[in-house]
C-alpha cells in the first residue's frame, strides 16, 4: 500500500513500489546558479572550493526534520488526535508526522531563499539510508520548482566531485522507505515499551530496539562473571639445554628450549580451560596439579634428561587483513589508540569532510580499481617489488546484509598521500587515525607473510618412574610481507585462561634445531600457580564485534549505540571495560521475562534483514509495520505478529509484571545465618537486602556487580550504617533518618515502599555532622524552604539551602546569604534590603588543580583535573567535562580525559532554557500525507525513542 507525501511545489510525484514518491524534474530557472546541499558546513566549504563560483553550496546542518520530541512539538491541528503521542498515524498507513527541528528553522528559511534563485538542485548528502532520507526531507520541505538531482560520491576530492556532478542519479526511494521504516519502528518500540519501564522499574527510563539488546549482551556477560567460581591450579615449565653443538647450527641459534608440562603418566595436565566456570571444579580425566604436586614433581625431575619424541614442522602463511569497515575501524582504534566508538567516528568524520579518507560509514571491504592500483603502487615504492603480489587482492565482506556503501574506508584519491605528507594539515588525533587507515589499506594489497612453525614434544621420566611429556612451539617468519606495514592488535582478555599465548601475528619464537631421539639436559624447572579468570567484560570494540557477529545494528548505528547505553545509565566504564548498572539488570530482567522476543538476538537480527529487504524493494513497508504493530498471520516480524503485535503484547502483559521480582537480583552470597541476599533496585538507588524483611544497605556507586562477593556483601551488611534513625516526624508520622548522599549528608522522611508520596529531604548545614544531628535539628531543616514573606508587588520570597550554600529567592532573582542560620532568622525587611542592593558579579579565585595530565591531543591545551560544584571535572582551559561514574581522580589518564572533553565538545554548548511564551503562529510541520485528524484531546509528552 503506497504512502502519501506532500507535493513538492509545482512538481508532480509518482509513487514507487516502496511507498515514497519520486519528484519529477521541472525546467531549469534562467539566470540562477545550481544549488548543492550537503549536511555539514565543513563539507560545504570543501566542495565549494572544488566546484568554484559557478555553484552555490550550502549545508542543511544535519537532519532538518524529525518526529515530534514531545507534546509541545505537535502542531495544534493534530494535538487531539489519538495517534499524536506517537507522532505516527498507525491507523492511516503509518503516516509519520514530521516537524522542522526548532534549531533548524533558521537554516531551513535560508535554504528556501536559496532554492528560489537556483537553476537546479543537487542533493549531495551521504549515500546511505540516512543520507538518502535527509535528501528526501529536503525535497519535501523546500518544495523546489526546478530540477532536483541526487549527487553521490564516496570521497571528497576534485575528481570525485566532478564525476558526481556529471553523473547524478534519481532519489533511491527504496532506501528512503527503509530508513523511514526504521525510524517509525524505533518510535513505536520506544514509545510503547518505555512506559512499562517507568511503571515497573524507574521513571524516565527508555527502551530501544537495539540499545536494549546491546544492554542485554553486557548484562549477560556480567551474570557470567557473578556466577563464576575461580579455581587454583599449578603448572610446570622447564628449560632444557642442547648438550654440545648441533651440526649445521647457525651462529646465534638458541641452545635451550622452554617447554611446558602437558601430561603425566599419559594423563593430560589440567589448564585453565578444564575448569567448570559454574563450580570451579576440574572436568574430564585430567591431572589437577596443586602446589605440592607441582613442586614435588619438579624435584623428582631435577637432573634428569629428556628425549625429543617428536618434531613437527609446518609452513606458516598469513594473509593480509581486509581494509577497514566502520566496525573494524572502531575495534582497531579502540585497541590501538584506546578510543571510544564515538571518538573514532568524530575524527573519521573530520578526515572524510576534509577530503582525506573515503566515506566512513560502510560495511563493505571492497576497494575500487583506482584504490587497488594506488595501494599496490605505494607498497612497491616503499617496500619493493617482492612485497606486492602478482594479482590484486579482492575482499568480500562477511557482515550480514553488507550494503551500506560501495567501498571500504581508505585514503582518498587515485593516489594516496603518506601520513608524513599530510602531517602538517592534520591535528594529532586525525594524524593517528589517518596513519592507521593508510597502513591497513596499503597492507591489504601486499604479499602474504610466510615462515615456519615448529612443534616439539619432549619425553622423560622422573626419579619415581613417572612418565612426563613437555611441549614447546615456535615460529619463525622468513618473509614478513604485509606485516612490514601493519599488524593488527588483539582484544583485551582474549586469552584469559592461562594457556599459551603466541602473541601477535608478527611475534617470533625461535627454537633450536632438534632431531627425534636427541637427548636434552634439564637445566631449570619452575612451578607456577594460576587462578582461572572469569570471561572478560566487553569493551566498546569487542561489543561492536559481538553486535556485528549477531547481525544486529548497522555501520551508521554502532557509535550511537555505544553512546546511548552509557548516556541512559545502563552501562558505565571502568577503565575501558563496560560495566552494567543494577538498573540495567532490572530492565533486562523485565524484558527477558515478559517481552522475550524484543530482546532475542535472532529476532532483532531478523528485523535488520527485513529492513534490508525493504531497502531492496522486496518488502512493502506498510504491510510490514502493520504486522509488527497490530499483528497478523504472516511470514514477517516472526512471533510478534503471531502474538497479536507489539501494541497488544504490551497492553496484555503490563499487569502480569511483578515489579518487586524484576527489580531483584539474587546473589550467591548469604548472611552468616544462611539467609539469601539480593540486590534490589529502589527509588533512591540499588541496595542490599538480607532475606525478605532484613536490613537494607546502600551499594556504593562505583562498585561493579561482580564485586559483590561473599566477603564484600558481609562487609557492607556488617559495616556501621550511614543511615541513622533520629525519630518520628509528628506531621506525617514517618521515620526521620540521616543519610550519606552523593552531595553530602542529609535528613529525610522514609516513605513505605510502593507509596506514591514523596519524601521530604534537607541537606545538613556545614556545622552539623551525621553523628551528632538530633531529631530537633532534622525537623527544623525539613521546614526549608521557608517562606520569608512577599514583596509589595506580591512576589513571594523564600529562604533555601542549595548546593552552593544558603540563599533567598524572589521569582528568578536569587541572592546568597553569608550564614546558614540566617535561613531561619532573616526577616522580610532584611530580605528586601538585600534585593535592593546591586547583584554581586564575578567569581572567587580559582582553586589549584587536583592533577595535571598533559596536553589535549585536539586543542593542545594543558588538561587538568579540578574540583567543581558538581564534583571533579577535567578541562583544557576551553572545555569542561565532568568525570563520569567509574572515573577516579587518582587514576584518570590523559587518554580518558581527552575522550571526555571530545564528547563534551561534540555535544555543543549547553542550551539555556527559554521562558515559555504564547504564540498564535502555527508550527512548521509536514505530515507524510496531507490527511488531518480532528482534535479530541491533548497529546501527552512521551520519551524520545532511540534504536
Amino acid at each position: 500500500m503506497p504512502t502519501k507525501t506532500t507535493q513538492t511545489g509545482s512538481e508532480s510525484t509518482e509513487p514507487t513500489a516502496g511507498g515514497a514518491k519520486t519528484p519529477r524534474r521541472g525546467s531549469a530557472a534562467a539566470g540562477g546558479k545550481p544549488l548543492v546541499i550537503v549536511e555539514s558546513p565543513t563539507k560545504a566549504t570543501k566542495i565549494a572550493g572544488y566546484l568554484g563560483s559557478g555553484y552555490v553550496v550550502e549545508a542543511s546542518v544535519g537532519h532538518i526534520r524529525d518526529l515530534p520530541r514531545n507534546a509541545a512539538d505537535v502542531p495544534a491541528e493534530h494535538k487531539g488526535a489519538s495517534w499524536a503521542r506517537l507522532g505516527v498515524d498507525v491507523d492511516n498507513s503509518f503516516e509519520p508526522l514530521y516537524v522542522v527541528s526548532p534549531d533548524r528553522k533558521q537554516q531551513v528559511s535560508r535554504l528556501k531563499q536559496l532554492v528560489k534563485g537556483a537553476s537546479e538542485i543537487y542533493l549531495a548528502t551521504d549515500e546511505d539510508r540516512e543520507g538518502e532520507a535527509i535528501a528526501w526531507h529536503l525535497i519535501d520541505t523546500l518544495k523546489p520548482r526546478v530540477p532536483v538531482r541526487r549527487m553521490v560520491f564516496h570521497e571528497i576530492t576534485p575528481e570525485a566531485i566532478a564525476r558526481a556532478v556529471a553523473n547524478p542519479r534519481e532519489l533511491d526511494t527504496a532506501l528512503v522507505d527503509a530508513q523511514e521504516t526504521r525510524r517509525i519502528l524505533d518510535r513505536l518500540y520506544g514509545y510503547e515499551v518505555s512506559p512499562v519501564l517507568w511503571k515497573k522499574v524507574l521513571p524516565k527510563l527508555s527502551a530501544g530496539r537495539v540499545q536494549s539488546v546491546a544492554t542485554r549482551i553486557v548484562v549477560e556477560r556480567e551474570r557470567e562473571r557473578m556466577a563464576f567460581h575461580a579455581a587454583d591450579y599449578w603448572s610446570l615449565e622447564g628449560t632444557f639445554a642442547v648438550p654440545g653443538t648441533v651440526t649445521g647450527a647457525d651462529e646465534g641459534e638458541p641452545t635451550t628450549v622452554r617447554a611446558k608440562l602437558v601430561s603425566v603418566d599419559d594423563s593430560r595436565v589440567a589448564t585453565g580451560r578444564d575448569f567448570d566456570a559454574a563450580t570451579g571444579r576440574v572436568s574430564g580425566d585430567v591431572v589437577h596439579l596443586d602446589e605440592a604436586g607441582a613442586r614435588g614433581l619438579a624435584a623428582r625431575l631435577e637432573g634428569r634428561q629428556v628425549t625429543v619424541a617428536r618434531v613437527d614442522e609446518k609452513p606458516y602463511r598469513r594473509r593480509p587483513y581486509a581494509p577497514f569497515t566502520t566496525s573494524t575501524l572502531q575495534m582497531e582504534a579502540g585497541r590501538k589508540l584506546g578510543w571510544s566508538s564515538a571518538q573514532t567516528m568524530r575524527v573519521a568524520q573530520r578526515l572524510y569532510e576534509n577530503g582525506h579518507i573515503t566515506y566512513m560509514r560502510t560495511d563493505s571491504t571492497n576497494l575500487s580499481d583506482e584504490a587497488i592500483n594506488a595501494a599496490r603502487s605505494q607498497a612497491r615504492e616503499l617496500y619493493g617489488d617482492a612485497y606486492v603480489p602478482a594479482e590484486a587482492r579482492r575482499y568480500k565482506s562477511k557482515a550480514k546484509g553488507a550494503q551500506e556503501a560501495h567501498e571500504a574506508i581508505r585514503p582518498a584519491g587515485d593516489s594516496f598521500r603518506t601520513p608524513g605528507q599530510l602531517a602538517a594539515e592534520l591535528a594529532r588525533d586525525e594524524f593517528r587515525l589517518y596513519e592507521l587507515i593508510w597502513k591497513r589499506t596499503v597492507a591489504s594489497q601486499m604479499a602474504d607473510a610466510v615462515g615456519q612453525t615448529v612443534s616439539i614434544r619432549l619425553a622423560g621420566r622422573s626419579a619415581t618412574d613417572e612418565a612426563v611429556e613437555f611441549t614447546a612451539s615456535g615460529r619463525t617468519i622468513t618473509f614478513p610481507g604485509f606485516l612490514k606495514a601493519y599488524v593488527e592488535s588483539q582484544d583485551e582478555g582474549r586469552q584469559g585462561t592461562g594457556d599459551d599465548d603466541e602473541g601477535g601475528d608478527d611475534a617470533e619464537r625461535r627454537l633450536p634445531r632438534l632431531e627425534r631421539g636427541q637427548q636434552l639436559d634439564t637445566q631449570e624447572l619452575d612451578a607456577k600457580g594460576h587462578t582461572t579468570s572469569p570471561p572478560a567484560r566487553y569493551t566498546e570494540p569487542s561489543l561492536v564485534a559481538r553486535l556485528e557477529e549477531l547481525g544486529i545494528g548497522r555501520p551508521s548505528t554502532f557509535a550511537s549505540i555505544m553512546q546511548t547505553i552509557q548516556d541512559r545509565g545502563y552501562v558505565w566504564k571502568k577503565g575501558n571495560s563496560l560495566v552494567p548498572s543494577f538498573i540495567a539488570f532490572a530492565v533486562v530482567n523485565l524484558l527477558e521475562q515478559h517481552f522475550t522476543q524484543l530482546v532475542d538476538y535472532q529476532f532483532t537480527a531478523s528485523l535488520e534483514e527485513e529492513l534490508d529487504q525493504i531497502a531492496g524493494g522486496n518488502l512493502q513497508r506498510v504491510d510490514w509495520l502493520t504486522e509488527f504493530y497490530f499483528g497478523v498471520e504472516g511470514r514477517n516480524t516472526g512471533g510478534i505478529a503471531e502474538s497479536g503485535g507489539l501494541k497488544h503484547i504490551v497492553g496484555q502483559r503490563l499487569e502480569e509484571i511483578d515489579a518487586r521480582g524484576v527489580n531483584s537480583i539474587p546473589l550467591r552470597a548469604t548472611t552468616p545465618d544462611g539467609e539469601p541476599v539480593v540486590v534490589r533496585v529502589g527509588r533512591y538507588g540499588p541496595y542490599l537486602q538480607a532475606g525478605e524483611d532484613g536490613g537494607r544497605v546502600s551499594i556504593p556507586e562505583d562498585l561493579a556487580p561482580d564485586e559483590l562477593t561473599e566477603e564484600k556483601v558481609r562487609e557492607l551488611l556488617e559495616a556501621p550504617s550511614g543511615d541513622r534513625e533520629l525519630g518520628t516526624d509528628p506531621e506525617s508520622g514517618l521515620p526521620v533518618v540521616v543519610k550519606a548522599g552523593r552531595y553530602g549528608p542529609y535528613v529525610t522522611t522514609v516513605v513505605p515502599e510502593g507509596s506514591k508520596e514523596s519524601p521530604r529531604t534537607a541537606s545538613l548545614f556545614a556545622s552539623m555532622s551525621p553523628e551528632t544531628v538530633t531529631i530537633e535539628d532534622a525537623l527544623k531543616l525539613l521546614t526549608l524552604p521557608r517562606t520569608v514573606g512577599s514583596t509589595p508587588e506580591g512576589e513571594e520570597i523564600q529562604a533555601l539551602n542549595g548546593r552552593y550554600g544558603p540563599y533567598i529567592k524572589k521569582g528568578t532573582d536569587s541572592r546568597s546569604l553569608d550564614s546558614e542560620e540566617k535561613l531561619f532568622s532573616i526577616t522580610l525587611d532584611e530580605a528586601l534590603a538585600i534585593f535592593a542592593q546591586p547583584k554581586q558579579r564575578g567569581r572567587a579565585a580559582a582553586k589549584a588543580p587536583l592533577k595535571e595530565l598533559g596536553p589535549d591531543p585536539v586543542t593542545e591545551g594543558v588538561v587538568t583535573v579540578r574540583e567543581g560544584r558538581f564534583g571533579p571535572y577535567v578541562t583544557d582551559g576551553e572545555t569542561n567535562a565532568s568525570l563520569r561514574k567509574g572515573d577516579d581522580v587518582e587514576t584518570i589518564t590523559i587518554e580518558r580525559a581527552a575522550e571526555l572533553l571530545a564528547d563534551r565538545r561534540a555535544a555543543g554548548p549547553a542550551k539555556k532554557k527559554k521562558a515559555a511564551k504564547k504564540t498564535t503562529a502555527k508550527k512548521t510541520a509536514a505530515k507524510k500525507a496531507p490527511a488531518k485528524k480532528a482534535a479530541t484531546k491533548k497529546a501527552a509528552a512521551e520519551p524520545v525513542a532511540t534504536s
Side-chain angles (χ1 to χ4, degrees):
M1 179 178 179
T3 58
K4 298 176 182 177
T5 183
T6 54
Q7 295 291 332
T8 55
S10 63
E11 300 171 16
S12 61
T13 56
E14 294 180 355
T16 65
K21 292 190 175 183
T22 311
R24 278 186 184 163
R25 297 178 183 174
S27 301
K33 295 180 180 179
L35 172 64
V36 179
I37 304 177
V38 299
E39 299 98 319
S40 78
T42 304
K43 193 174 172 182
T45 301
K46 198 75 175 178
I47 292 174
Y50 294 151
L51 291 177
S53 59
Y55 291 79
V56 176
V57 185
E58 186 62 40
S60 67
V61 196
H63 289 272
I64 60 168
R65 297 194 310 185
D66 199 3
L67 300 173
R69 297 168 302 175
N70 49 43
D73 280 355
V74 178
E77 63 265 32
H78 299 299
K79 277 190 181 292
S82 60
W83 49 266
R85 75 179 187 91
L86 286 172
V88 179
D89 188 350
V90 296
D91 297 317
N92 190 11
S93 300
F94 291 87
E95 293 171 3
L97 173 66
Y98 288 114
V99 296
V100 174
S101 306
D103 56 350
R104 295 289 183 271
K105 287 182 179 179
Q106 186 175 351
Q107 188 63 12
V108 168
S109 297
R110 173 170 171 75
L111 289 171
K112 285 183 175 179
Q113 289 300 316
L114 292 173
V115 165
K116 288 179 182 178
S119 60
E120 55 186 333
I121 309 294
Y122 286 91
L123 300 173
T125 52
D126 296 332
E127 192 185 12
D128 56 13
R129 292 177 189 140
E130 190 173 7
E132 210 73 13
I134 292 174
W136 178 83
H137 280 291
L138 286 166
I139 295 173
D140 201 54
T141 304
L142 302 178
K143 300 177 174 36
R145 298 172 179 270
V146 293
V148 177
R149 313 180 197 284
R150 185 74 171 95
M151 173 178 159
V152 293
F153 42 85
H154 307 300
E155 57 187 357
I156 303 175
T157 62
E159 298 79 13
I161 298 304
R163 286 194 295 266
V165 170
N167 300 283
R169 64 165 172 80
E170 296 294 329
L171 189 74
D172 190 332
T173 52
L175 275 184
V176 175
D177 269 343
Q179 182 62 24
E180 296 308 288
T181 304
R182 185 183 296 270
R183 183 69 188 96
I184 293 167
L185 171 64
D186 289 340
R187 172 58 64 98
L188 297 177
Y189 186 119
Y191 273 42
E192 293 292 354
V193 181
S194 294
V196 178
L197 304 183
W198 302 348
K199 294 173 184 176
K200 300 298 182 178
V201 183
L202 285 174
K204 299 182 180 179
L205 296 179
S206 74
R209 175 176 57 88
V210 180
Q211 78 170 49
S212 296
V213 173
T215 302
R216 181 191 173 197
I217 293 172
V218 178
V219 167
E220 283 191 333
R221 178 57 56 86
E222 197 71 11
R223 286 173 179 164
E224 292 176 36
R225 292 175 63 88
M226 294 169 74
F228 181 80
H229 280 74
D232 294 328
Y233 67 98
W234 282 67
S235 65
L236 188 62
E237 292 184 11
T239 302
F240 304 96
V242 181
T245 303
V246 179
T247 304
D250 295 332
E251 187 178 349
E253 185 174 325
T255 57
T256 61
V257 57
R258 186 80 174 167
K260 189 172 184 178
L261 179 72
V262 291
S263 72
V264 177
D265 288 334
D266 296 326
S267 293
R268 188 168 59 81
V269 174
T271 62
R273 63 168 63 94
D274 294 307
F275 293 87
D276 187 336
T279 65
R281 297 192 183 95
V282 72
S283 55
D285 185 20
V286 295
V287 177
H288 179 191
L289 285 179
D290 56 15
E291 182 177 7
R295 294 192 184 281
L297 182 56
R300 295 191 294 276
L301 287 169
E302 193 172 344
R304 312 286 292 187
Q305 281 195 323
V306 294
T307 304
V308 178
R310 198 170 73 216
V311 178
D312 293 324
E313 294 187 4
K314 294 180 181 178
Y316 167 80
R317 181 172 291 271
R318 179 71 169 87
R319 288 176 58 82
Y321 323 104
F324 281 130
T325 62
T326 300
S327 59
T328 55
L329 178 63
Q330 290 176 14
M331 292 177 217
E332 191 70 342
R335 291 186 291 240
K336 272 188 161 55
L337 306 178
W339 291 358
S340 66
S341 296
Q343 184 178 1
T344 302
M345 294 311 290
R346 277 196 301 271
V347 178
Q349 179 93 26
R350 294 201 299 269
L351 288 173
Y352 166 67
E353 290 181 345
N354 283 290
H356 300 312
I357 64 170
T358 52
Y359 188 53
M360 68 288 163
R361 293 189 183 95
T362 174
D363 47 16
S364 172
T365 55
N366 180 50
L367 290 176
S368 66
D369 290 340
E370 292 80 7
I372 289 174
N373 291 335
R376 287 169 61 83
S377 173
Q378 202 150 60
R380 186 177 290 110
E381 179 184 331
L382 293 171
Y383 303 106
D385 291 341
Y387 284 84
V388 181
E391 297 292 329
R393 296 186 184 275
R394 306 280 178 179
Y395 295 90
K396 289 186 178 179
S397 177
K398 297 178 182 178
K400 295 181 181 179
Q403 62 178 28
E404 290 279 348
H406 301 303
E407 211 175 344
I409 304 169
R410 62 167 177 84
D414 295 343
S415 62
F416 301 160
R417 289 196 284 176
T418 66
Q421 290 170 330
L422 270 180
E425 300 177 36
L426 302 178
R428 182 171 178 266
D429 279 0
E430 292 168 355
F431 177 86
R432 296 172 75 193
L433 192 63
Y434 181 83
E435 184 179 43
L436 204 64
I437 294 166
W438 175 81
K439 285 182 175 180
R440 178 86 163 217
T441 307
V442 172
S444 74
Q445 291 300 316
M446 291 174 65
D448 294 349
V450 295
Q452 195 83 4
T453 59
V454 181
S455 178
I456 298 172
R457 185 146 308 225
L458 308 176
R461 287 193 172 270
S462 70
T464 54
D465 207 34
E466 297 156 297
V468 296
E469 284 193 335
F470 290 81
T471 188
S473 60
R475 179 171 67 199
T476 55
I477 297 175
T478 56
F479 178 69
F482 75 93
L483 294 174
K484 194 94 169 174
Y486 188 84
V487 181
E488 189 172 73
S489 297
Q490 294 184 358
D491 285 321
E492 292 178 20
R494 181 166 152 183
Q495 305 301 321
T497 59
D499 303 326
D500 288 335
D501 181 1
E502 294 183 0
D505 288 330
D506 62 339
E508 289 190 280
R509 185 184 178 193
R510 297 188 66 194
L511 298 179
R513 294 184 184 179
L514 299 173
E515 297 177 358
R516 185 176 177 182
Q518 189 174 348
Q519 298 288 309
L520 303 181
D521 295 331
T522 301
Q523 194 176 76
E524 183 183 21
L525 291 164
D526 295 322
K528 294 183 178 180
H530 309 273
T531 300
T532 55
S533 301
R537 285 194 180 97
Y538 285 103
T539 60
E540 287 196 18
S542 61
L543 182 55
V544 167
R546 179 61 176 151
L547 289 168
E548 186 173 53
E549 177 188 345
L550 292 168
I552 295 170
R554 288 295 181 259
S556 60
T557 64
F558 288 133
S560 63
I561 293 167
M562 298 301 110
Q563 196 66 44
T564 298
I565 61 177
Q566 293 175 67
D567 291 345
R568 302 288 190 224
Y570 294 141
V571 170
W572 54 282
K573 275 188 175 181
K574 188 170 188 178
N576 288 327
S577 299
L578 299 176
V579 183
S581 65
F582 287 107
I583 292 174
F585 274 79
V587 168
V588 171
N589 283 348
L590 185 152
L591 294 174
E592 285 179 334
Q593 293 170 26
H594 300 281
F595 304 99
T596 309
Q597 199 135 24
L598 293 182
V599 286
D600 178 78
Y601 301 144
Q602 188 173 351
F603 170 72
T604 307
S606 72
L607 290 184
E608 296 284 4
E609 291 169 4
E610 286 164 7
L611 288 166
D612 289 343
Q613 290 184 49
I614 293 172
N618 300 318
L619 272 181
Q620 298 287 329
R621 75 174 189 88
V622 175
D623 294 344
W624 188 87
L625 285 168
T626 302
E627 290 181 19
F628 179 82
Y629 192 66
F630 290 116
V632 293
E633 292 293 332
R635 65 181 182 85
N636 300 319
T637 68
I640 296 292
E642 294 167 7
S643 301
L646 178 68
K647 184 176 176 63
H648 172 75
I649 292 170
V650 171
Q652 180 187 51
R653 297 181 186 172
L654 179 61
E655 298 308 317
E656 301 172 3
I657 300 172
D658 172 21
R660 185 176 175 84
V662 298
N663 285 290
S664 299
I665 299 105
L667 301 176
R668 278 170 36 198
T670 59
T671 66
D673 300 330
E675 280 193 288
V677 179
V678 296
V679 173
R680 299 197 195 280
V681 176
R683 188 188 302 183
Y684 310 112
Y687 61 89
L688 287 175
Q689 185 169 27
E692 281 298 312
D693 303 307
R696 303 177 180 183
V697 59
S698 296
I699 298 172
E701 278 195 346
D702 58 352
L703 191 67
D706 76 327
E707 293 172 11
L708 282 172
T709 59
E710 188 100 23
E711 296 76 17
K712 189 64 179 179
V713 165
R714 292 189 180 182
E715 176 191 324
L716 291 171
L717 291 173
E718 293 169 4
S721 174
D723 301 351
R724 182 167 68 90
E725 188 165 335
L726 303 176
T728 303
D729 175 22
E731 186 179 321
S732 63
L734 297 173
V736 178
V737 299
V738 59
K739 290 176 172 280
R742 187 175 189 177
Y743 302 106
Y746 65 100
V747 291
T748 181
T749 55
V750 180
V751 299
E753 189 168 343
S755 171
K756 294 185 178 179
E757 182 182 350
S758 296
R760 296 161 60 203
T761 63
S763 297
L764 265 61
F765 286 173
S767 58
M768 298 175 177
S769 72
E771 293 76 23
T772 60
V773 68
T774 65
I775 183 64
E776 291 76 18
D777 295 330
L779 293 176
K780 194 174 180 181
L781 291 171
L782 290 172
T783 63
L784 298 174
R786 165 180 162 255
T787 301
V788 177
S790 297
T791 68
E793 294 79 22
E795 274 193 292
E796 187 177 77
I797 299 176
Q798 286 190 317
L800 307 93
N801 194 22
R803 284 184 191 166
Y804 317 135
Y807 67 102
I808 53 175
K809 181 181 178 183
K810 177 190 67 172
T812 58
D813 193 5
S814 61
R815 305 297 170 90
S816 296
L817 297 175
D818 56 16
S819 163
E820 290 170 323
E821 291 300 328
K822 284 190 177 178
L823 290 169
F824 302 114
S825 62
I826 190 170
T827 65
L828 177 60
D829 288 340
E830 290 171 337
L832 290 172
I834 291 173
F835 280 116
Q837 298 171 10
K839 193 166 186 176
Q840 296 294 318
R841 301 281 180 184
R843 298 181 178 180
K847 296 179 181 178
L850 303 176
K851 191 176 183 182
E852 189 172 301
L853 300 176
D856 181 83
V858 176
T859 65
E860 298 183 354
V862 176
V863 178
T864 57
V865 186
R866 295 179 177 271
E867 186 65 47
R869 288 174 174 177
F870 301 100
Y873 66 96
V874 292
T875 179
D876 63 350
E878 298 176 9
T879 304
N880 300 340
S882 298
L883 268 61
R884 297 178 185 169
K885 184 176 179 180
D887 292 328
D888 180 71
V889 172
E890 296 303 320
T891 59
I892 191 168
T893 62
I894 181 61
E895 290 78 16
R896 174 61 176 158
E899 180 185 335
L900 292 172
L901 290 169
D903 286 346
R904 186 67 191 86
R905 288 187 205 103
K911 294 180 180 179
K912 295 181 180 179
K913 291 183 179 179
K914 295 181 180 178
K917 56 183 180 181
K918 295 180 181 179
T919 178
T920 56
K922 289 185 179 180
K923 290 180 178 287
T924 304
K927 195 164 179 286
K928 206 174 181 185
K932 294 182 181 179
K933 301 288 180 178
T936 57
K937 61 181 179 179
K938 189 176 180 180
E942 292 293 335
V944 176
T946 61
S947 62

